[in-house]
Each structure stands twice: as structure tokens, then as C-alpha cells.
Amino acid sequence: QGLYSSVVCPGLVMSNMTYRILPVFLWKLLMPIMWLVSGSPGWFWAVTCLTASDVWLFKQKPEYLDSHVKYHSCTSGLGKCYVEPRKMDVDEDTAEKLYQKLLELEEQ
């Protein structure tokens, strides 16, 4: 029907869900290091790079994209945004069973 679905990872997004992964004191130690490594000199660059994979994916022809890849927003040490495709560990049989189940649910 011309519908496509892709997986995108926007990069590091700090939220209340992220803070639950590690203790708060550890985040306070890691945040300055993560900020320096990301090369993002301010919130504008961080927001721009967080949307890099979304915007890049939107501009692509869906039929040319790899369905076994997650597209990640990344930032170089100099602050340049880029998209990096990374293979996902997907079991073909499980994916097909899930797809068939979704089709059954759609009919109901």
C-alpha cells in the first residue's frame, strides 16, 4: 500500500527516563564528558543533530533503505552531524510471525 516503516535512533536525549538508567550522581559526573565528546557547543547544535537521522530518513526513497538497519544520529568531535546505519540483530522468522499476527489483528 506504499507504507514504509524504518527505525531511527535520535541519539542521546536526556529525559526522566534516561536518568533512571544510572544513579543521579553518575549522570552528574558523565554529563560534562558527554558534552565535550559530542562536540555540541550548545543546545541548538544538540537539537539539530538529534533530528539528523529523522530528516535524513525523510529525504530517502523508502524502497532503497535496508529494513535490517537502525539509522543513528551522530556527531563528530568537531560538531558535524551525520547519520550512521547500524545493522540490527533481527530474527527473520520472528519478524515474519509478528507481521502475520499484525495482519490478523488488522482484519479483526
Side-chain angles (χ1 to χ4, degrees):
Q1 296 180 3
L3 297 175
Y4 295 90
S5 176
S6 297
V7 181
V8 176
C9 179
L12 179 66
V13 179
M14 296 310 296
S15 69
N16 60 346
M17 290 174 60
T18 310
Y19 277 118
R20 294 179 191 163
I21 296 171
L22 297 172
V24 175
F25 78 92
L26 205 51
W27 280 117
K28 290 183 180 188
L29 293 172
L30 290 175
M31 284 310 294
I33 296 167
M34 293 167 73
W35 184 80
L36 288 171
V37 171
S38 74
S40 302
W43 72 270
F44 175 77
W45 291 110
V47 170
T48 303
C49 289
L50 289 176
T51 60
S53 58
D54 297 327
V55 173
W56 179 87
L57 194 64
F58 177 76
K59 293 180 178 181
Q60 305 307 306
K61 292 189 177 210
E63 56 271 15
Y64 296 123
L65 296 172
D66 185 350
S67 62
H68 297 101
V69 167
K70 181 189 288 186
Y71 297 94
H72 288 257
S73 293
C74 300
T75 310
S76 72
L78 299 175
K80 181 169 174 49
C81 302
Y82 64 96
V83 176
E84 180 178 278
R86 297 180 192 163
K87 283 279 191 193
M88 294 185 294
D89 185 18
V90 177
D91 178 34
E92 294 284 335
D93 294 332
T94 304
E96 184 61 32
K97 287 177 187 174
L98 176 61
Y99 179 68
Q100 292 304 321
K101 185 64 176 172
L102 287 172
L103 290 176
E104 289 173 20
L105 290 171
E106 182 182 44
E107 288 177 9
Q108 292 177 4

